[in-house]
Amino acid sequence: MNKSTFGKLFTVTTWGESHGKALGAVVDGCPAGLELDESHIQKYLNRRKPGQSRYTTARKEGDQVEILSGVFEGKTTGTPISLMVRNMDQRSGDYGNIAYSYRPGHADFTFDSKYGFRDYRGGGRSSGRETLGRVAAGAVAIKLLEALGISFCTYTKAIGPAEITEFHPEEIENNAFYMPDKKAAEKAGAYLEQCMKEQDSAGGIIECRIKGVPPGLGTPVFEKLDAMLAQAVMSIGAVKGVEIGEGFHVAQMRGSQDNDGFAASEKGIVKTSNHAGGIMGGISDGSEILLRAAVKPTPSVSQPQATVTDKGENISLEIHGRHDPVIVPRAVVVVEAMCALTIADALLGNMCARLDKVQEFYKK
Amino acid sequence: MNKSTFGKLFTVTTWGESHGKALGAVVDGCPAGLELDESHIQKYLNRRKPGQSRYTTARKEGDQVEILSGVFEGKTTGTPISLMVRNMDQRSGDYGNIAYSYRPGHADFTFDSKYGFRDYRGGGRSSGRETLGRVAAGAVAIKLLEALGISFCTYTKAIGPAEITEFHPEEIENNAFYMPDKKAAEKAGAYLEQCMKEQDSAGGIIECRIKGVPPGLGTPVFEKLDAMLAQAVMSIGAVKGVEIGEGFHVAQMRGSQDNDGFAASEKGIVKTSNHAGGIMGGISDGSEILLRAAVKPTPSVSQPQATVTDKGENISLEIHGRHDPVIVPRAVVVVEAMCALTIADALLGNMCARLDKVQEFYKK
Amino acid sequence: MNKSTFGKLFTVTTWGESHGKALGAVVDGCPAGLELDESHIQKYLNRRKPGQSRYTTARKEGDQVEILSGVFEGKTTGTPISLMVRNMDQRSGDYGNIAYSYRPGHADFTFDSKYGFRDYRGGGRSSGRETLGRVAAGAVAIKLLEALGISFCTYTKAIGPAEITEFHPEEIENNAFYMPDKKAAEKAGAYLEQCMKEQDSAGGIIECRIKGVPPGLGTPVFEKLDAMLAQAVMSIGAVKGVEIGEGFHVAQMRGSQDNDGFAASEKGIVKTSNHAGGIMGGISDGSEILLRAAVKPTPSVSQPQATVTDKGENISLEIHGRHDPVIVPRAVVVVEAMCALTIADALLGNMCARLDKVQEFYKK
Amino acid sequence: MNKSTFGKLFTVTTWGESHGKALGAVVDGCPAGLELDESHIQKYLNRRKPGQSRYTTARKEGDQVEILSGVFEGKTTGTPISLMVRNMDQRSGDYGNIAYSYRPGHADFTFDSKYGFRDYRGGGRSSGRETLGRVAAGAVAIKLLEALGISFCTYTKAIGPAEITEFHPEEIENNAFYMPDKKAAEKAGAYLEQCMKEQDSAGGIIECRIKGVPPGLGTPVFEKLDAMLAQAVMSIGAVKGVEIGEGFHVAQMRGSQDNDGFAASEKGIVKTSNHAGGIMGGISDGSEILLRAAVKPTPSVSQPQATVTDKGENISLEIHGRHDPVIVPRAVVVVEAMCALTIADALLGNMCARLDKVQEFYKK
């Protein structure tokens, strides 16, 4: 792994800060011959875009992606694909009062500890805007995986106490929270109204279902598929937990309950349940992969907070400017992007696991 | 990352299967000059050893470690440290009936899918015994971190419904479950008696507290400390979830509750709470790192289970032989080892983050 | 290593093709606090620029670099530095007749073999223009190394039979070939006139001297400094050989001649000769590093050449358009850039080799 | 890359010092299903063994390899293969007088500079014995490549002025120098007699021919096949230069001479010459790969040499004990091993270059 590079065969290197000139990503290792153009990527970036509801901030982010390399006559060439989005609407003025304070819940203090100074505008590279490069790269991965019959369904499972009790995927795009349950979305709305009244913010849980993943992906022990998914998703800002299948609920279960049995069918061997969430021994088993991420509440709240300046003086900080009361809906597409990047990398990596397959590939 | 290699500067490469000749690890990148001998490592391996209670199986594992390279006159030379443990007491006879079936909850099916065949004895490399190499390597990391004032406290937080309500670290070594709460240990014992009567198994949660980690460790975005810890711990067999600080509980919290404020003190700037679990923006903040792992129940239960042979015939499988009713206590030292390896790697990686520090290092 | 990423701590990821929209590089891991702006980088890019002499082609390449991220208030932040150069003057028309043929000495055939198709315009990513990203990144590395007292002197040692016999570094910038010997430069000029008359091209040798490298850089066995330099320089298109110190001449030497002895001096221990070229056992020894690269003649010559179309039909190909009769002078700054990137990476990697230095770094 | 790990998909991690308990390697990523046992590896280790001629030292190295993991029922399982050789005959007494001096031409000084101290016995990890792990691992790679129709022919091209003028591969095993030319071998013998009389040593050149490599291996720009071969071979102790095809001779050639043309044939498109040495644009072209390595003379000569102790006192050092007057013949199998490891890694890495091939692999 590398600081700003994820993956081994299908890799992405991201760059850019909240208030810098631009943000972007370089995708390397995408197999040649995949149809790709800006529209494929733009539709994913649009799912990041705030301003879609009264619960997301009014920054008009624009965010038009440009493909600068790696595509020729509409197809990937196998060479690095450089993606860029120019920063248009980042008004520095919004952030003036935090240049010299350590905002609670943010990375100001830790960035200063590590680097000696930081780009304080909008959080610099610790800003949620950094995920723009990841989503652009994830869009390329998703396009590749589509060509292999793999699909994603990612949504908000809960915001605060408002949790889905039914699953209607067609509802996901119909509400501001990307929840597949209309009633739950309404409860979430009410909860957030309350939070905003109290100048506060809310957290939640994102769930990602991946269908069509062939068995065999992931390599023990350190490149186990669940381990790579955990790294990928935990690397998203504001994520504080990752679980697969039953996740933390396994602590309460018995072996007889948690085990997935097998049965013969016309389609071959199938699992009779899926408590494992599609991954066993760190390798995909062909059933649906199920992952959840816990997202903390937006740290930037307008309530006064006790903190310090970077010189160590106690102060009371009130953060103004444009901040969402909840991060979760914006993070949904980011979780999907990171899962797609991980699956794409594992998919390519699995091709050389068996001698007979290698020989078949190279037969003259 | 690499399949069997974890880390970038302080790396470990593990090898070995349950019933192979030996298991081991190669630790590379340990700084030169660290005092090291077999006793340092052996004490950690002994914490893996079963046969310590009526709840762990009677396999007499022995497991004596040998240092084969990388140490001269009692100190590490900076060259690779090869550690090996010969397999002594693995009676193949115990596993005869599973050579041709897919055990529910195990990696038999996925290993076959990936490689075309597998070493079925004891689960081969998917066996829990694979962690032996990790623990040996982790012991070297812990020795290094001790020399830098960093210490670990890892224990069982819960087994099934039996969860600790108090924290008495001195109790950890006093019960078979490594629980820092005597009453909770007794409840766990009762719960496991019930499980064993029912020919079943139990899951649980492990918690790890890391003190003395300097601020600044971890590098955004993909080498964030929490992301690397998540990969490290999720790569342990039977782990289905990893969380930091408040973890999944953040979904229920408000920003005002979850944020850690700062205050001035004689020791400099300190946090006024630690909901973040010691990591903010993916970088350590100097306060205690808090991590939890969810461990699923032992898949090998002696109840009959419906499954298939590898030819796709439906069968009912009863697994005999020596199996623990709970994995959690054995995994405690493995979680600690993986956390130590991650912290050691991040510690070395943080040294080149600032130009002034690099110049200081190289001043003539 | 990775396909388009070089380095482990100080890394560069390059992207871009000859006729794509832009080319660039992402430099990651540059320590925070280094002064950097476009001018530092532009001066190195200008050394790539053709049109400087009658021996280099008339493409007006412009090549203005833009820093898109990673720098704040004139200093690097420690986050990825994205560098970009827009392609301005690439007239597709020049390349029309090679879309369907395999040019001898070029990578057309191998790119087709690997990817199934290729961006044929100007050679796509196999074009010499790809080095633009490397030079931009190398400029950042050079700036860092300057701050640590390390300097480079890279020049043409020979073009065809015209080889330098004296060494006057001040002459390097005074002739079109970057040769530190005026007479040799004149001979090279005469040789190239002859080549051009014959519609042919010439090869040569580049030499790089690196002063001020502290001892200890490079890590046995696979990250030995000479091994990394070899990879770095051999990865430059048209390079067919790399040697250190005496290089291939060692085959003719005796041990007593090749060995560098040591002697005591007021400055401490010094070597009494430097046949090794500054690297012993794969680790820098503090004396001047000496490296040479062999550069083949420009493959694009206008003489008719026997080759095939990509359908396998025999043809005679005459390549027209703008092509240099010699690559060597343009490659000088690329060799320097790759050496700088390698040294920078090794310099950062050496900081964690000793426990006492690690403890010193982290003392509270 | 990593300090002691080479490769990305087919990787080897080596460990061990000259006088430590053992040496070995862990091979990871070898596809499952390859037949492998100790005999395959032992025959390569035997080619390292000294005592085969009066020109190689009399240390009876034994060197029996043991496979500790990764093989089941005679076939690789796809899990790490641990190889070990116990050190039997390393008499510490031979090295007593060098514990405190810096031997000219050796890595004593640089190891001390880097690590602060060193295992001085036999050169520790800088010893030629370190290559034992590489050769064992290379043997596994060669076995894999055999199964894919790829073969190696590696031999000594020159020792001092004695250079081969004919090429008779069947002669290679018939003389002590692994030269494919009987007359040249006799001249080499005479030259070495002279060197030994003068208490001196000789250098030489090794050449490696690789047949049957499919086109397409290697990935621009930093994983170009020639760049990886250069790193691999330059990492071998005593190697000071690496070249491909015409190598440094390209400096003297014209483009019209150096270019390889193409022609149509019944077998498809073939090259009409092979000045490139089988690699164009960093990618294999299907023709024979040709590589050469320059090996310096053995640094340990018994002539008195002026040097210093590690305290900086001037001394005259006479090195006694068992030392070869030439390294070249022992390095032949090491060069072959490193080339095999590189080709194996590139072979696996090329499988995911094209979308259509990936889709074919995963078609249900």
Side-chain angles (χ1 to χ4, degrees):
Chain A
M1 209 45 56
N2 221 318
K3 297 173 274 286
S4 298
T5 300
F6 181 82
K8 190 159 81 170
L9 293 175
F10 190 102
T11 74
V12 57
T13 300
T14 70
W15 55 270
E17 302 91 38
S18 178
H19 281 63
K21 286 190 176 183
L23 297 109
V26 180
V27 175
D28 195 16
C30 182
L34 177 71
E35 286 186 13
L36 188 72
D37 65 49
E38 273 88 350
S39 68
H40 297 129
I41 303 170
Q42 193 62 50
K43 88 179 172 197
Y44 280 93
L45 289 185
N46 292 345
R47 288 174 62 193
R48 269 190 81 260
K49 218 166 55 169
Q52 283 160 174
S53 76
R54 60 176 264 94
Y55 306 109
T56 56
T57 58
R59 273 175 285 168
K60 299 211 178 309
E61 286 190 21
D63 290 345
Q64 295 299 310
V65 69
E66 202 184 345
I67 298 178
L68 299 172
S69 67
V71 176
F72 179 58
E73 293 180 349
K75 293 190 177 177
T76 55
T77 54
T79 62
I81 302 167
S82 181
L83 307 168
M84 181 175 78
V85 174
R86 291 268 182 192
N87 262 336
M88 299 299 189
D89 178 38
Q90 306 302 330
R91 294 175 288 169
S92 290
D94 287 340
Y95 297 97
N97 71 334
I98 58 128
Y100 307 109
S101 2
Y102 290 143
R103 295 171 295 166
H106 281 274
D108 305 340
F109 174 70
T110 49
F111 263 65
D112 258 5
S113 298
K114 186 174 186 70
Y115 296 115
F117 78 110
R118 61 192 168 94
D119 177 350
Y120 55 77
R121 303 168 300 167
R125 188 148 169 81
S126 70
S127 157
R129 216 162 142 63
E130 165 274 313
T131 59
L132 199 146
R134 306 192 204 205
V135 173
V140 181
I142 289 172
K143 193 82 176 44
L144 169 68
L145 298 175
E146 264 176 24
L148 288 142
I150 298 169
S151 63
F152 294 78
C153 182
T154 320
Y155 49 87
T156 297
K157 183 178 197 222
I159 290 181
E163 185 163 339
I164 64 174
T165 52
E166 302 179 5
F167 180 65
H168 302 290
E170 68 282 5
E171 282 294 314
I172 291 172
E173 301 285 333
N174 285 348
N175 61 78
F177 308 118
Y178 296 123
M179 290 179 107
D181 175 337
K182 191 171 175 187
K183 288 212 175 74
E186 287 165 6
K187 285 187 186 162
Y191 179 67
L192 284 172
E193 290 289 348
Q194 188 57 32
C195 290
M196 293 196 296
K197 273 208 191 97
E198 295 167 20
Q199 289 174 299
D200 218 336
S201 60
I205 295 177
I206 292 170
E207 193 162 68
C208 178
R209 297 177 177 270
I210 315 171
K211 274 190 163 76
V213 178
L217 267 52
T219 312
V221 299
F222 296 120
E223 282 183 353
K224 285 183 179 180
L225 190 61
D226 43 359
M228 299 312 298
L229 284 167
Q231 181 200 0
V233 174
M234 191 72 97
S235 80
I236 300 171
V239 172
K240 299 302 287 187
V242 180
E243 59 182 24
I244 306 279
E246 294 286 349
F248 273 83
H249 182 54
V250 295
Q252 305 299 327
M253 294 176 80
R254 299 290 185 87
S256 61
Q257 297 167 326
D258 184 55
N259 281 355
D260 298 323
F262 294 93
S265 81
E266 321 84 36
K267 289 186 285 179
I269 294 171
V270 294
K271 282 174 39 174
T272 53
S273 59
N274 190 16
H275 299 286
I279 299 175
M280 295 169 57
I283 301 172
S284 62
D285 63 28
S287 54
E288 183 182 79
I289 291 177
L290 183 66
L291 172 147
R292 276 177 299 280
V295 181
K296 74 177 199 177
T298 322
S300 287
V301 295
S302 42
Q303 286 187 19
Q305 299 183 84
T307 186
V308 296
T309 65
D310 55 14
K311 305 258 179 298
E313 301 149 332
N314 289 319
I315 59 170
S316 171
L317 185 70
E318 286 181 40
I319 293 170
H320 299 292
R322 311 169 293 178
H323 301 282
D324 301 342
V326 65
I327 293 172
V328 178
R330 299 190 65 154
V332 168
V333 70
V334 189
V335 170
E336 183 162 301
M338 292 313 300
C339 288
L341 288 164
T342 308
I343 300 292
D345 194 46
L347 187 111
L348 298 186
N350 182 48
M351 293 178 71
C352 51
R354 297 172 51 155
L355 176 63
D356 55 357
K357 299 281 186 178
V358 178
Q359 286 173 314
E360 197 177 307
F361 183 92
Y362 281 107
K363 67 184 184 290
K364 321 268 174 183
Chain B
M1 209 45 55
N2 221 318
K3 298 172 274 287
S4 298
T5 300
F6 180 83
K8 190 161 80 170
L9 293 176
F10 189 103
T11 73
V12 57
T13 300
T14 69
W15 54 269
E17 301 92 40
S18 179
H19 282 62
K21 285 190 177 183
L23 297 110
V26 180
V27 175
D28 195 17
C30 183
L34 177 71
E35 286 184 13
L36 188 72
D37 65 48
E38 273 89 349
S39 69
H40 297 130
I41 303 170
Q42 193 62 51
K43 87 179 174 197
Y44 280 93
L45 288 184
N46 292 345
R47 288 174 62 194
R48 268 191 82 258
K49 222 165 53 169
Q52 282 158 173
S53 76
R54 61 176 261 93
Y55 307 109
T56 56
T57 56
R59 272 175 286 167
K60 299 212 176 308
E61 286 189 20
D63 289 346
Q64 295 300 309
V65 70
E66 201 184 344
I67 297 178
L68 298 172
S69 68
V71 177
F72 180 58
E73 293 179 348
K75 293 191 177 176
T76 55
T77 55
T79 61
I81 302 166
S82 181
L83 309 167
M84 181 175 77
V85 173
R86 290 268 182 192
N87 262 336
M88 299 298 191
D89 179 41
Q90 306 302 333
R91 292 175 288 169
S92 289
D94 290 348
Y95 297 97
N97 70 336
I98 58 129
Y100 306 110
S101 3
Y102 291 142
R103 295 170 296 165
H106 281 276
D108 305 340
F109 174 71
T110 49
F111 263 65
D112 258 5
S113 298
K114 186 172 186 72
Y115 296 113
F117 78 109
R118 60 191 168 94
D119 177 351
Y120 56 78
R121 304 166 299 165
R125 186 147 172 81
S126 70
S127 157
R129 215 162 143 63
E130 165 273 312
T131 60
L132 198 147
R134 305 194 205 204
V135 173
V140 180
I142 288 171
K143 193 82 176 42
L144 169 68
L145 297 176
E146 264 177 25
L148 287 142
I150 297 169
S151 62
F152 293 78
C153 183
T154 321
Y155 49 88
T156 297
K157 183 178 198 220
I159 290 180
E163 185 165 337
I164 65 172
T165 52
E166 301 181 5
F167 180 66
H168 303 289
E170 67 281 7
E171 282 295 314
I172 292 171
E173 300 284 333
N174 286 348
N175 61 79
F177 310 116
Y178 296 123
M179 289 178 107
D181 176 337
K182 194 173 174 185
K183 287 212 176 73
E186 287 163 6
K187 284 187 187 163
Y191 179 67
L192 283 172
E193 289 290 348
Q194 188 57 32
C195 289
M196 293 194 297
K197 273 206 192 101
E198 295 167 19
Q199 289 175 298
D200 216 337
S201 62
I205 294 177
I206 292 170
E207 193 162 67
C208 178
R209 296 178 178 269
I210 315 171
K211 275 190 163 77
V213 178
L217 266 53
T219 312
V221 299
F222 297 119
E223 282 182 353
K224 284 183 178 180
L225 190 61
D226 43 359
M228 299 313 298
L229 285 166
Q231 181 199 2
V233 173
M234 191 72 97
S235 78
I236 300 170
V239 172
K240 298 302 288 188
V242 181
E243 60 181 23
I244 305 279
E246 293 287 347
F248 273 83
H249 182 56
V250 295
Q252 305 299 328
M253 295 176 80
R254 300 289 185 88
S256 61
Q257 297 167 325
D258 184 56
N259 281 354
D260 297 322
F262 293 94
S265 80
E266 319 86 34
K267 290 187 284 179
I269 294 171
V270 293
K271 280 174 40 171
T272 53
S273 58
N274 190 15
H275 299 286
I279 299 176
M280 293 167 60
I283 301 172
S284 61
D285 63 27
S287 52
E288 183 182 78
I289 291 177
L290 183 67
L291 173 147
R292 278 177 298 279
V295 181
K296 75 177 199 177
T298 322
S300 287
V301 295
S302 41
Q303 286 187 19
Q305 298 182 85
T307 187
V308 294
T309 64
D310 54 14
K311 305 258 178 296
E313 301 148 334
N314 290 319
I315 59 169
S316 171
L317 183 70
E318 286 183 39
I319 294 170
H320 299 293
R322 313 169 293 177
H323 301 283
D324 301 344
V326 66
I327 294 173
V328 179
R330 298 190 65 152
V332 169
V333 70
V334 189
V335 170
E336 183 161 299
M338 291 313 301
C339 288
L341 289 164
T342 307
I343 300 291
D345 194 48
L347 187 110
L348 298 187
N350 181 48
M351 293 179 69
C352 52
R354 297 173 52 155
L355 176 62
D356 54 357
K357 299 281 187 179
V358 178
Q359 287 172 313
E360 197 178 306
F361 183 92
Y362 282 107
K363 68 183 184 289
K364 321 267 174 180
Chain C
M1 209 46 53
N2 221 318
K3 296 172 274 289
S4 298
T5 301
F6 181 81
K8 189 160 80 170
L9 293 176
F10 189 103
T11 73
V12 58
T13 300
T14 70
W15 56 269
E17 301 93 38
S18 178
H19 281 64
K21 286 189 176 184
L23 297 109
V26 180
V27 175
D28 194 17
C30 182
L34 177 69
E35 286 185 15
L36 188 71
D37 64 49
E38 274 89 349
S39 68
H40 296 129
I41 303 169
Q42 193 61 52
K43 88 178 172 196
Y44 280 93
L45 289 184
N46 292 345
R47 288 175 61 192
R48 269 191 82 260
K49 220 165 54 168
Q52 282 158 174
S53 75
R54 59 176 263 94
Y55 306 108
T56 57
T57 58
R59 272 174 286 167
K60 297 210 179 309
E61 286 189 23
D63 290 345
Q64 295 300 309
V65 69
E66 202 182 346
I67 297 177
L68 298 173
S69 67
V71 176
F72 179 58
E73 293 180 349
K75 293 191 179 177
T76 55
T77 56
T79 61
I81 303 167
S82 180
L83 308 169
M84 180 176 77
V85 174
R86 291 267 181 192
N87 262 335
M88 300 298 189
D89 178 40
Q90 307 302 331
R91 294 176 288 169
S92 289
D94 291 346
Y95 297 96
N97 70 335
I98 57 128
Y100 306 109
S101 1
Y102 291 142
R103 295 171 295 166
H106 281 275
D108 305 341
F109 175 71
T110 49
F111 263 66
D112 259 4
S113 298
K114 186 173 187 71
Y115 296 114
F117 79 109
R118 60 191 168 95
D119 178 351
Y120 56 78
R121 304 168 299 165
R125 187 146 171 83
S126 69
S127 157
R129 216 162 142 62
E130 164 274 312
T131 60
L132 199 146
R134 306 194 205 202
V135 173
V140 181
I142 289 171
K143 193 82 176 44
L144 169 68
L145 297 176
E146 264 178 24
L148 288 143
I150 298 169
S151 62
F152 293 78
C153 183
T154 321
Y155 48 88
T156 298
K157 183 178 197 222
I159 291 181
E163 184 163 340
I164 64 172
T165 53
E166 301 179 5
F167 180 65
H168 302 290
E170 68 281 7
E171 282 294 315
I172 292 172
E173 301 285 332
N174 286 347
N175 60 79
F177 309 116
Y178 296 124
M179 290 178 107
D181 176 338
K182 193 172 176 187
K183 286 212 176 74
E186 287 165 5
K187 285 187 186 163
Y191 179 67
L192 283 172
E193 289 289 348
Q194 188 58 31
C195 289
M196 292 194 298
K197 273 206 192 101
E198 295 167 20
Q199 291 174 299
D200 216 337
S201 61
I205 295 177
I206 292 170
E207 193 162 68
C208 178
R209 296 176 178 271
I210 315 171
K211 276 190 162 76
V213 179
L217 267 53
T219 311
V221 299
F222 296 120
E223 281 183 353
K224 285 182 178 180
L225 190 61
D226 42 0
M228 298 313 297
L229 285 167
Q231 182 200 1
V233 174
M234 191 72 98
S235 79
I236 301 171
V239 171
K240 299 302 288 188
V242 180
E243 60 182 24
I244 305 280
E246 294 286 348
F248 274 82
H249 182 55
V250 296
Q252 305 298 329
M253 296 176 79
R254 298 291 184 88
S256 61
Q257 297 167 326
D258 184 55
N259 281 355
D260 297 324
F262 293 93
S265 81
E266 320 84 34
K267 288 186 286 179
I269 294 171
V270 293
K271 280 175 39 173
T272 53
S273 59
N274 190 15
H275 300 287
I279 299 174
M280 294 170 56
I283 301 172
S284 61
D285 63 27
S287 54
E288 184 183 78
I289 292 178
L290 184 67
L291 173 147
R292 277 178 299 280
V295 181
K296 74 177 198 178
T298 322
S300 286
V301 295
S302 41
Q303 285 187 19
Q305 299 183 83
T307 186
V308 295
T309 64
D310 55 15
K311 305 258 179 295
E313 302 148 334
N314 289 319
I315 60 168
S316 170
L317 185 70
E318 285 181 41
I319 294 170
H320 299 292
R322 312 169 294 176
H323 300 283
D324 301 344
V326 66
I327 293 172
V328 178
R330 299 190 65 153
V332 168
V333 71
V334 188
V335 170
E336 183 161 301
M338 292 313 301
C339 289
L341 289 165
T342 308
I343 299 291
D345 195 48
L347 187 110
L348 299 187
N350 182 48
M351 293 178 69
C352 51
R354 298 172 51 155
L355 176 62
D356 55 356
K357 299 281 187 179
V358 179
Q359 286 173 314
E360 197 178 306
F361 183 92
Y362 281 108
K363 67 182 184 289
K364 320 268 173 186
Chain D
M1 208 45 54
N2 222 318
K3 296 172 273 287
S4 299
T5 301
F6 180 82
K8 189 160 82 171
L9 294 176
F10 190 103
T11 73
V12 57
T13 300
T14 70
W15 55 270
E17 302 92 39
S18 179
H19 282 62
K21 284 190 178 183
L23 297 109
V26 180
V27 176
D28 195 17
C30 183
L34 177 70
E35 287 185 12
L36 188 72
D37 65 49
E38 272 89 350
S39 69
H40 296 130
I41 302 171
Q42 193 61 51
K43 88 179 173 195
Y44 280 94
L45 289 184
N46 293 345
R47 287 175 61 192
R48 268 191 82 260
K49 220 165 54 169
Q52 283 159 172
S53 75
R54 60 175 264 94
Y55 307 108
T56 57
T57 58
R59 272 174 287 167
K60 298 209 176 311
E61 286 190 22
D63 290 345
Q64 294 300 309
V65 70
E66 201 183 347
I67 296 178
L68 299 173
S69 68
V71 177
F72 180 58
E73 293 179 349
K75 293 190 177 178
T76 55
T77 55
T79 60
I81 302 166
S82 182
L83 309 167
M84 181 175 76
V85 173
R86 291 267 181 192
N87 261 336
M88 299 299 190
D89 178 40
Q90 306 302 330
R91 293 176 288 170
S92 289
D94 285 338
Y95 297 97
N97 71 336
I98 58 130
Y100 307 109
S101 2
Y102 290 143
R103 295 170 296 165
H106 281 276
D108 304 340
F109 175 71
T110 50
F111 263 65
D112 257 6
S113 298
K114 187 173 186 72
Y115 296 113
F117 79 109
R118 61 191 166 95
D119 177 349
Y120 55 78
R121 304 167 299 166
R125 187 148 171 81
S126 69
S127 157
R129 218 165 140 61
E130 166 273 311
T131 59
L132 198 146
R134 305 195 206 203
V135 173
V140 180
I142 288 171
K143 193 82 175 47
L144 169 68
L145 297 175
E146 263 176 25
L148 288 142
I150 298 169
S151 62
F152 293 78
C153 182
T154 321
Y155 48 88
T156 298
K157 184 179 197 221
I159 291 179
E163 184 164 340
I164 65 173
T165 53
E166 301 180 6
F167 180 65
H168 302 290
E170 68 282 5
E171 281 295 314
I172 292 172
E173 301 285 333
N174 286 348
N175 60 78
F177 309 117
Y178 295 124
M179 290 179 107
D181 176 337
K182 192 170 175 190
K183 287 213 177 74
E186 287 163 7
K187 286 187 187 164
Y191 179 67
L192 283 171
E193 289 290 347
Q194 188 57 31
C195 290
M196 292 194 297
K197 272 205 193 103
E198 295 167 20
Q199 289 175 298
D200 217 337
S201 61
I205 295 177
I206 292 170
E207 193 161 68
C208 178
R209 295 178 179 269
I210 315 171
K211 274 190 163 77
V213 178
L217 268 53
T219 312
V221 301
F222 297 119
E223 281 182 355
K224 284 183 178 180
L225 190 61
D226 44 0
M228 299 313 297
L229 285 166
Q231 182 199 2
V233 173
M234 192 72 98
S235 78
I236 301 170
V239 171
K240 299 301 288 188
V242 181
E243 59 181 24
I244 306 279
E246 294 286 348
F248 274 82
H249 182 55
V250 295
Q252 306 298 330
M253 296 176 78
R254 301 289 185 87
S256 60
Q257 297 167 326
D258 184 56
N259 281 355
D260 298 323
F262 294 92
S265 80
E266 320 85 33
K267 289 186 284 176
I269 294 172
V270 294
K271 281 175 40 172
T272 54
S273 58
N274 190 16
H275 299 286
I279 299 175
M280 294 169 58
I283 301 172
S284 61
D285 62 28
S287 52
E288 183 182 78
I289 291 177
L290 183 67
L291 173 147
R292 278 178 298 280
V295 181
K296 73 177 199 177
T298 322
S300 288
V301 295
S302 42
Q303 286 188 18
Q305 296 182 86
T307 187
V308 294
T309 64
D310 55 13
K311 306 261 178 297
E313 301 148 333
N314 290 320
I315 59 169
S316 171
L317 184 69
E318 285 182 41
I319 294 170
H320 299 293
R322 311 169 293 177
H323 300 283
D324 301 344
V326 65
I327 293 172
V328 179
R330 299 191 64 155
V332 167
V333 70
V334 188
V335 169
E336 183 162 300
M338 292 312 302
C339 288
L341 289 164
T342 308
I343 300 291
D345 194 48
L347 188 109
L348 298 186
N350 182 47
M351 293 178 71
C352 52
R354 297 173 52 155
L355 176 62
D356 54 358
K357 298 282 186 177
V358 177
Q359 286 173 314
E360 197 177 307
F361 183 93
Y362 281 107
K363 67 184 184 288
K364 321 270 174 181

